[in-house]
Amino acid sequence: MIEFSSTWFLDGFLHPLETPSHLILLIGIAVLLGQQGGVNLVRNFLLLSFSIIAGFVVNHYLSPNTNNELILLVLALLVSLLIVLRLEYKLAWVQWLVAVLAVISGLILGLDSSPIIIPGLGANTFYNWLFGAAVSIIAAVITIALISFMIRNILQGVILRVIGSWIATSALFVLTLLLTKTTL
Amino acid sequence: MFKKISFLSLLLGLLIAPSAYAHFHYKINSTAALQANDKKQLQAIAMSWVYDENVSGILLRSGQPLNELAKGIMDDLSQLNYFTRLTLNGKTITTKKVTHYTLKKIVQNKKNLLKLSFVLPLKSPLYLQGNTLGIIHTDPGASASLFYRNTNHLITGPIFSSFCKPDVKAVKDFKNGEAPEIVSVNCKS
């Protein structure tokens, strides 16, 4: 029987917050969702949440051998550039692009979340860890997206655009370290 | 002002995050003893793993009786090749499923620890003379690191000790999921 374990929940909870590529992308996608806002915020957030769960499932059953960290950082770069551009949210293609980015970001975040398994406690550690990781990502995205949504029009959106440029810089910084195989 | 605080908070967060990056890791102190058959062939390796205090505590707190816990551990380990790959002159040796195992509570340095002992049988017995046996321990989940520390924990036994020499070399700056030591038994002498 699976029981709640604070140790594994906390370990999973901290994983996306302690992994630079995860943190940069989830801040980026949350700011983008908040910036685009409107009626699409809830839809895009739900798409992101379901994609994260789908990523967990795919990772568990298929364990695809992809360079997730590289994809996460390239996605973060793309997302941050969209934040800087502050595209018109009413345009249909922008709405589609943001939705697709939410789905891909969720999938890759889920794919790159591999729980710790201690032999003998497999199922318990596995589900508690994934639960923690899911709560962490979703809570961070909700919080950041809502803050971004509230400040999206302040100073004609300059605040979010500058944050976007910082996310782009951070993504480029970590991407450079990754490509030069420098460990942080 | 608000803008500055936002930028600084974000920058600080992104700078702190990498240094705080840490997954769950644990250590196992391992001992291996070579077992021979009547033909002086290697037929199995008896292993004893002592889990570190943290993981011993987590396993004990799971509330399972030791025999059930042992079964669960061995069932999971069998899916992970017992964290072990054996090689003979670099070529992988096929092993069989573990059937003999025990899990005991022990006290070491006033710490309550769990000791898992099991016998890993080879699919076909092998002559070691003139060959080098390698023991590589890796955890696919990159959480466990198995250490022998020195050759005292690599027991060749009465049959092999006359012509085999155990060797344990620490790997400097090993990464999580990689073997922290190069463990071998050289029987070329």
Side-chain angles (χ1 to χ4, degrees), chain A residues 26-40:
Chain A
L26 74 86
I27 292 173
I29 196 73
V31 171
L32 181 67
L33 296 190
Q35 186 190 46
Q36 291 296 315
V39 289
N40 298 324

Side-chain angles (χ1 to χ4, degrees), chain B residues 64-116:
Chain B
Q64 302 173 70
L66 279 184
N67 58 344
E68 272 183 33
L69 187 57
K71 188 180 179 311
I73 292 172
M74 294 315 294
D75 285 348
D76 286 348
L77 278 177
S78 69
Q79 307 289 317
L80 302 165
N81 294 323
Y82 306 100
F83 290 167
T84 304
R85 187 165 73 90
L86 301 178
T87 62
L88 194 71
N89 302 326
K91 288 183 181 171
T92 302
I93 302 169
T94 314
T95 53
K96 290 198 290 187
K97 191 175 166 71
V98 170
T99 51
H100 294 88
Y101 57 85
T102 56
L103 184 69
K104 288 178 183 169
K105 270 193 272 189
I106 61 166
V107 178
Q108 260 182 13
N109 303 324
K110 296 179 183 174
K111 292 173 184 169
N112 290 313
L113 306 174
L114 274 177
K115 181 180 180 180
L116 175 71

Side-chain angles (χ1 to χ4, degrees), chain B residues 121-141:
Chain B
L122 271 59
K123 194 173 180 187
S124 312
L126 294 165
Y127 286 106
L128 282 186
Q129 196 139 25
N131 297 308
T132 300
L133 174 75
I135 304 173
I136 303 157
H137 292 299
T138 52
D139 172 9

